[in-house]
Amino acid sequence: MTAEKQRLQDINWKSWGPYVSNRQWGNVREDYSPNGNAWNFTNHDKAESYSYRWGEEGIAGISDTKQLFCFALSFWNKKDKMVKERFFGLSNPQGNHGEDIKEIFYYLDNTPTHSYMKMVYKYPINEFPYDHLVSENGRRSKKEAEYEIIDTGIFDNNEYFDIFIEYCKAETNDILVRVSIHNRSQQDAPIVVAPTAWFRNNWKWGYNTYKGMLNASNEGCIDINHDSVSIKKFYSRNTNARSAFCDNETNTRKLYGVPFIENTYFKDGINDYIIHKSNSINPEKRGSKASFIIDEIIGGGQSKTFDFRLSPEDTDEPFYQFEEIFNTRIAEANEFYNEVQHDVTNEDERNVQRQAFAGLLWNKQFYHYNVGKWLKGDPNFDAPRDFYNYVRNTEWNHMHNKDIISMPDKWEYPWYATWDLAFHCVPYALIDAQFAKNQLLLLTKEWYMHPNGQLPAYEWNLSDVNPPVHAWSCFRVFKIDEKTNGKPDLLFLEKVFQKLLLNFTWWVNRKDKNGKNIFGGGFLGLDNIGAFDRNMELKDGEHLEQADGTSWMAMYALNMMRIAMELAQYYQVYEDMAIKFFEHYLYIAEAMENMGDGKEGLWNEEDGFFYDVLQLGDGESVTLRLRSIVGLIPLFAVEIIDHGLLEKMPNFKIRMEWVLKNKPELTKLVSHWDEEGHGRKHLMSILRKNRLSKVLTRMLDEKEFLSSYGIRAMSKVYEENPFIFSVHGTENVVYYTPAESDSRMFGGNSNWRGPIWFPINFLIVESLQRFHFYYGNSLKVELPTGSGDKRNLEEVAQNISNRLCSIFLKDEQGQRAFNGGNNKFNYDEHFKDYITFYEYFHGDNGRGVGASHQTGWTATVAKLMKPR
């Protein structure tokens, strides 16, 4: 067993980690405004002086699991208007495509216990173009691309610092820090390095008064005094390091014009001291925030290294064996990943996969949100909320989150999203299955899940509806874990199944409008808004029957059936639950075919595709013949059951045979359950062989969905021939747009019309693999459509997987598609092997779009790169 695997047996090795957010400003949690304008209540410039309520932010920040104590790195190039304490980006109203980080950094390495971590930040030597980035993006329309920091030309002459930040743990509470700064220009350049330690402010709100204290000790040492923090000393190896102290308190004078109070040293005190040499730090050298200030000049083409240590004890030689410990942890990280990647032989693939894992691990975050307290305000600080007009999350008063959670992106989305997290957990299971299982269980806890059974969506609207993929993820993680560890974790599966019963019931009761097994859900998280906003309240009893919402529920029913069948092998009582979900699935499949009263179903035989149907107030219905991923999601409702499993479940088999005999109207509508496939397997799928072939003909058509980089979210036919639909006298026009949104129909950047999404593509690949497991070579389709080249579905799945992986891998010209053709990113020796895992990708050229570090669901590429 590798050293890292041994550490995974001891939870104490995770006591400290990269749990500090990259952005705390602009979040709902920190919004105490009356009008719900979170982006303005705390913004980037205010963040310098504002003490947060619910969490902290920093560059490469680490903390304990309750975030009592934090550490991060800060820098100043002696030209900027502020010390670089946090990554800069635009708020949602500022960006022409919503919020957007305007920095360049890469997560290079991380182990599951964070025994070793590494990232690189590219900090300009010249003045950071804050104002220019704001003004130029503000000038651009939604039809234009975002203006990025690389577009400003500030990196053109290599006038930047490569700042490598590394952590390793000597023991569970003994952390070594190494900062290596490389001047990539040919000219000498000054830089101030300011490693910073501070306590999260949990004392001023009115619930407790205990406050930790930092104070100067011996030369090169800062004492850490807190009765709940195990680290006691902060050492600097650099002899020219000066310590500076202030308090993690809001500068009320600067932000709100409150009269100055003597002997107060606010959160921005160290910043003001470094920039302006002001009297803003405590001359008594104590406070709740402290930095070592190191003023250096880095020669052109040269580098310097700065070492620090966070230690649990006083020692005369804090840097004894510093290099040896680092070298050991790096070797152990390599040993761990060599085992994980033993079957990945291509070096470029190994590099991409390892950085995908690194991004997942760096995007862990301490997440604290007590909705009840947030709604009321605190004893010392009232919340002047305008409940009459709009306050978010009022129906989630029960919710109290205070955990380490996998974030989609700690800058763009520094809050968990439940359906994102379901995808995160699949690649996590390859490196830390216990963490993946704990994350999935966490969101079903009573202090997360609503009493009515709904899972929280995300903090901007906890009541929003995302696709129900939790059961799918739980079973995938369960099987990966079973294969890796050699035994099934039945307790995990049973626990999560019980809670998912509540969530399934919530869907049935809340999203099946007429009780006919046709489901809505509205936005559902991706570019499936359709011709108009699917969350829009329609008039006169009109409503939308959603092909994707219904298909997700068919998938959910099959996932629950499969979990129940797995548990029934050990506990016979679960046979009845398997029967329940088997029948529920059949009713949903029937409803998709025939919505009752002679109404047309969701399948369109003429087009060979599934569509949404608009039910009108007069009883008539209109099919919205817009080809998008809405019509591909029925692929996901597929399950293959081995006949041997049925033989172990006599009651299920008897009931199944009864249904097949007595309810032919159900069984005739789905792929024939009673017909055994290759190797005595049974298929359950909404798509019979004929319909499956028709859908795949559309999906694998390069003129429609098939891109060189995966499956597009909308048919490319609408690029030249837009879809037009009129409702209530308003004409709605939908074009294929392969990347950024050109509309604000749903606000922000939530109206995508064609890019490639990894979560959807990942489910497409898995579904095709399941279909092949049943059909084998008896079903082949053209790939691409019209080529005459017939492939079985395993080959189709692998082909799509290869296209997805090619987004990140070097092509024959040495380019990586996600870089969007940028020569510096593709060919510069200090960029070309660094990977960013974007939120989604351009449907035609694979360029990365949206959140640039959303490793979460895009890290499913790490699973795709693992040979089956």
Side-chain angles (χ1 to χ4, degrees):
M1 183 182 292
T2 66
E4 179 63 15
K5 275 194 171 181
Q6 289 178 338
R7 283 190 285 267
L8 279 169
Q9 310 304 310
D10 182 357
I11 192 64
N12 291 317
W13 275 96
K14 294 182 181 178
S15 296
W16 298 86
Y19 308 142
V20 178
S21 177
N22 286 340
R23 175 174 65 83
Q24 186 69 9
W25 61 268
N27 288 333
V28 170
R29 282 160 290 156
E30 300 297 343
D31 178 20
Y32 285 83
S33 68
N35 60 1
N37 191 339
W39 287 109
N40 281 340
F41 188 78
T42 57
N43 59 38
H44 175 269
D45 288 356
K46 285 182 183 177
E48 175 183 284
S49 308
Y50 183 81
S51 179
Y52 295 118
R53 171 67 175 87
W54 297 100
E56 294 291 347
E57 66 191 5
I59 295 175
I62 64 171
S63 78
D64 58 280
T65 55
K66 297 304 178 185
Q67 202 163 98
L68 298 173
F69 178 76
C70 304
F71 174 89
L73 279 303
S74 302
F75 309 96
W76 186 46
N77 57 14
K78 296 201 171 183
K79 296 182 178 71
D80 287 351
K81 63 181 180 180
M82 64 183 72
V83 172
K84 181 66 70 173
E85 290 185 89
R86 60 193 54 78
F87 291 130
F88 172 72
L90 304 183
S91 68
N92 185 283
Q94 288 175 321
N96 62 325
H97 294 289
E99 62 268 33
D100 187 34
I101 193 169
K102 301 299 183 186
E103 305 270 12
I104 299 176
F105 61 94
Y106 300 91
Y107 295 129
L108 302 180
D109 211 358
N110 208 324
T111 58
T113 65
H114 315 299
S115 57
Y116 177 69
M117 307 192 293
K118 182 178 183 180
M119 66 168 289
V120 59
Y121 171 48
K122 293 180 178 287
Y123 182 39
I125 287 173
N126 294 315
E127 184 178 359
F128 196 92
Y130 291 106
D131 296 337
H132 180 52
L133 286 164
V134 172
S135 62
E136 177 59 23
N137 279 280
R139 186 193 65 77
R140 295 192 176 195
S141 71
K142 289 193 73 64
K143 295 185 182 298
E144 296 175 273
E146 295 168 337
Y147 186 65
E148 307 293 3
I149 189 170
I150 195 70
D151 301 323
T152 67
I154 200 165
F155 292 98
D156 286 355
N157 298 317
N158 291 328
E159 293 177 327
Y160 70 92
F161 298 107
D162 257 340
I163 303 177
F164 292 90
I165 301 165
E166 296 173 272
Y167 292 95
C168 79
K169 296 179 183 177
E171 293 294 340
T172 56
N173 299 308
D174 191 353
I175 302 168
L176 283 58
V177 188
R178 183 166 63 191
V179 180
S180 305
I181 303 180
H182 297 253
N183 179 353
R184 298 303 185 195
S185 78
Q186 297 305 306
Q187 304 298 320
D188 296 353
I191 189 168
V192 174
V193 182
T196 303
W198 72 100
F199 296 111
R200 179 169 62 86
N201 190 328
N202 61 2
W203 55 80
K204 77 173 185 179
W205 315 105
Y207 299 103
N208 80 79
T209 58
Y210 179 79
K211 182 177 177 181
M213 184 61 64
L214 303 166
N215 56 269
S217 180
N218 301 320
E219 184 177 348
C221 179
I222 292 173
D223 287 341
I224 302 164
N225 300 294
H226 194 291
D227 59 9
S228 298
V229 174
S230 56
I231 290 175
K232 301 301 181 184
K233 299 288 182 179
F234 172 20
Y235 293 104
S236 172
R237 192 178 212 169
N238 302 80
T239 57
N240 62 339
R242 296 169 290 126
S243 59
F245 298 78
C246 60
D247 285 302
N248 186 14
E249 301 279 3
T250 297
N251 189 335
T252 53
R253 182 187 185 193
K254 182 183 292 186
L255 295 184
Y256 310 119
V258 174
F260 179 71
I261 303 173
E262 290 291 332
N263 300 319
T264 53
Y265 305 96
F266 301 112
K267 176 183 175 180
D268 52 17
I270 295 172
N271 173 88
D272 292 352
Y273 172 75
I274 292 173
I275 301 286
H276 306 296
K277 302 302 179 186
S278 60
N279 296 322
S280 54
I281 59 173
N282 193 335
E284 297 181 5
K285 290 191 173 291
R286 58 185 175 85
S288 51
K289 177 180 177 181
S291 298
F292 283 115
I293 299 173
I294 305 168
D295 198 332
E296 285 283 356
I297 293 178
I298 313 292
Q302 302 299 308
S303 67
K304 289 189 178 182
T305 299
F306 307 88
D307 296 335
F308 311 97
R309 188 166 192 164
L310 297 164
S311 173
E313 59 189 9
D314 189 6
T315 174
D316 293 333
E317 296 184 89
F319 298 97
Y320 177 67
Q321 293 188 326
F322 191 89
E323 284 296 322
E324 290 85 345
I325 296 170
F326 252 106
N327 290 338
T328 298
R329 293 294 177 261
I330 291 170
E332 290 168 349
N334 290 334
E335 177 190 35
F336 174 78
Y337 282 112
N338 283 338
E339 184 175 282
V340 171
Q341 298 181 311
H342 71 276
D343 49 1
V344 181
T345 57
N346 180 280
E347 282 303 315
D348 198 24
E349 288 185 10
R350 290 170 68 89
N351 175 51
V352 171
Q353 188 187 57
R354 186 156 172 177
Q355 288 187 55
F357 289 135
L360 269 179
L361 292 160
W362 271 101
N363 272 318
K364 288 183 183 179
Q365 181 184 309
F366 169 76
Y367 185 88
H368 189 197
Y369 188 21
N370 183 322
V371 177
K373 285 185 177 181
W374 177 79
L375 288 169
K376 291 185 299 184
D378 298 312
N380 291 348
F381 294 92
D382 293 332
R385 301 199 184 280
D386 182 355
F387 283 95
Y388 181 78
N389 287 307
Y390 187 65
V391 175
R392 302 176 194 276
N393 302 326
T394 53
E395 64 274 32
W396 290 79
N397 195 66
H398 75 285
M399 201 168 83
H400 184 190
N401 304 163
K402 195 175 184 180
D403 295 283
I404 304 302
I405 307 180
S406 176
M407 298 292 124
D409 176 328
K410 288 200 302 189
W411 195 95
E412 305 244 6
Y413 302 112
W415 26 260
Y416 66 87
T418 298
W419 95 291
D420 291 57
L421 187 139
F423 290 98
H424 302 184
C425 288
V426 173
Y428 254 123
L430 299 174
I431 56 172
D432 190 355
Q434 192 59 51
F435 179 78
K437 291 183 290 186
N438 289 343
Q439 291 283 283
L440 291 166
L441 279 170
L442 182 65
L443 295 185
T444 69
K445 298 295 186 183
E446 292 75 17
W447 49 95
Y448 281 77
M449 177 183 276
H450 197 282
N452 65 20
Q454 185 178 11
L455 293 174
Y458 46 88
E459 72 173 38
W460 285 87
N461 183 2
L462 292 166
S463 294
D464 209 346
V465 182
N466 288 160
V469 293
H470 213 74
W472 162 80
S473 180
C474 289
F475 193 66
R476 290 294 287 115
V477 168
F478 169 80
K479 298 304 283 186
I480 293 171
D481 180 45
E482 181 183 31
K483 183 177 180 181
T484 302
N485 295 317
K487 59 181 181 180
D489 189 346
L490 298 173
L491 181 60
F492 158 72
L493 200 60
E494 193 171 12
K495 277 185 176 181
V496 80
F497 182 79
Q498 301 296 334
K499 293 298 183 66
L500 288 171
L501 287 173
L502 302 176
N503 181 245
F504 189 91
T505 303
W506 176 86
W507 270 90
V508 170
N509 290 337
R510 296 297 181 93
K511 295 302 173 182
D512 179 6
K513 189 173 182 65
N514 292 319
K516 294 183 178 180
N517 294 300
I518 293 289
F519 293 85
F523 176 46
L524 285 175
L526 283 175
D527 37 347
N528 47 3
I529 291 176
F532 53 87
D533 182 352
R534 300 200 307 173
N535 273 352
M536 182 171 65
E537 289 291 330
L538 302 175
K539 64 180 184 180
D540 301 328
E542 294 178 354
H543 62 279
L544 196 63
E545 308 285 18
Q546 294 182 210
D548 57 337
T550 307
S551 301
W552 284 119
M553 282 302 290
M555 172 186 170
Y556 197 177
L558 285 179
N559 295 151
M560 292 294 280
M561 181 198 75
R562 186 64 186 85
I563 292 173
M565 294 179 80
E566 188 78 14
L567 290 169
Q569 308 312 298
Y570 305 90
Y571 316 109
Q572 189 177 2
V573 66
Y574 283 97
E575 256 190 285
D576 288 345
M577 297 308 299
I579 293 167
K580 175 260 186 294
F581 284 108
F582 164 68
E583 294 199 29
H584 205 131
Y585 161 74
L586 291 178
Y587 285 118
I588 294 172
E590 180 193 30
M592 291 189 73
E593 178 74 15
N594 179 3
M595 292 185 288
D597 303 323
K599 294 177 181 176
E600 187 178 354
L602 303 179
W603 172 258
N604 185 283
E605 184 64 31
E606 180 183 352
D607 290 357
F609 211 70
F610 285 96
Y611 296 119
D612 287 347
V613 172
L614 180 62
Q615 297 290 355
L616 302 177
D618 60 6
E620 297 298 313
S621 61
V622 178
T623 297
L624 304 180
R625 294 170 69 174
L626 173 64
R627 290 196 294 280
S628 74
I629 54 173
V630 165
L632 300 180
I633 287 170
L635 287 168
F636 305 160
V638 54
E639 190 58 70
I640 314 300
I641 305 300
D642 186 89
H643 194 76
L645 184 59
L646 281 183
E647 294 297 326
K648 297 177 183 177
M649 302 177 62
N651 294 330
F652 182 92
K653 187 178 180 184
I654 291 169
R655 179 62 180 173
M656 180 194 72
E657 290 172 348
W658 186 93
V659 171
L660 293 172
K661 179 179 179 180
N662 293 281
K663 294 189 176 184
E665 74 278 7
L666 298 182
T667 56
K668 72 180 181 181
L669 299 171
V670 298
S671 297
H672 296 298
W673 176 261
D674 55 336
E675 292 182 4
E676 293 180 10
H678 177 69
R680 290 173 63 80
K681 301 179 183 70
H682 299 274
L683 170 70
M684 296 196 76
S685 168
I686 291 171
L687 292 162
R688 300 193 296 274
K689 191 172 186 177
N690 179 50
R691 290 188 176 180
L692 173 61
S693 297
K694 287 185 176 183
V695 170
L696 294 182
T697 297
R698 294 282 189 191
M699 189 183 82
L700 300 176
D701 189 340
E702 292 174 317
K703 299 183 185 70
E704 294 217 38
F705 290 97
L706 184 63
S707 160
S708 298
Y709 302 98
I711 303 300
R712 302 179 177 101
M714 180 172 285
S715 174
K716 191 174 170 65
V717 298
Y718 304 117
E719 186 172 42
E720 299 295 334
N721 302 289
F723 177 83
I724 301 173
F725 178 75
S726 296
V727 58
H728 304 317
T730 301
E731 186 174 78
N732 297 272
V733 181
V734 179
Y735 287 90
Y736 166 76
T737 52
E740 296 94 342
S741 167
D742 63 358
S743 164
R744 277 189 177 261
M745 180 193 300
F746 195 72
N749 190 26
S750 303
N751 299 276
W752 309 276
R753 289 288 188 273
I756 293 159
W757 294 88
F758 255 80
I760 295 298
N761 274 263
F762 188 80
L763 289 175
I764 288 172
V765 169
E766 283 209 338
S767 297
L768 291 174
Q769 289 169 345
R770 286 198 185 94
F771 279 116
H772 175 74
F773 191 52
Y774 178 77
Y775 286 115
N777 287 327
S778 69
L779 177 57
K780 293 187 176 183
V781 295
E782 285 185 313
L783 176 65
T785 298
S787 67
D789 185 5
K790 295 269 191 168
R791 306 283 188 91
N792 67 40
L793 299 190
E794 172 66 29
E795 291 170 328
V796 174
Q798 189 59 52
N799 184 279
I800 294 171
S801 178
N802 291 343
R803 291 171 189 246
L804 294 165
C805 293
S806 74
I807 290 172
F808 304 102
L809 298 171
K810 289 180 181 178
D811 64 15
E812 292 178 354
Q813 288 74 44
Q815 297 200 33
R816 302 183 191 273
F818 77 88
N819 282 326
N822 185 285
N823 284 337
K824 193 167 193 69
F825 289 159
N826 280 320
Y827 299 120
D828 187 293
E829 64 176 321
H830 302 303
F831 285 86
K832 64 181 182 179
D833 292 324
Y834 297 155
I835 313 297
T836 38
F837 298 85
Y838 282 81
E839 182 181 0
Y840 54 103
F841 300 87
H842 193 290
D844 296 336
N845 61 35
R847 171 173 63 87
V849 193
S852 57
H853 291 78
Q854 189 163 350
T855 315
W857 64 22
T858 305
T860 50
V861 72
K863 181 68 171 68
L864 295 177
M865 286 180 171
K866 190 170 180 62
R868 297 185 69 222

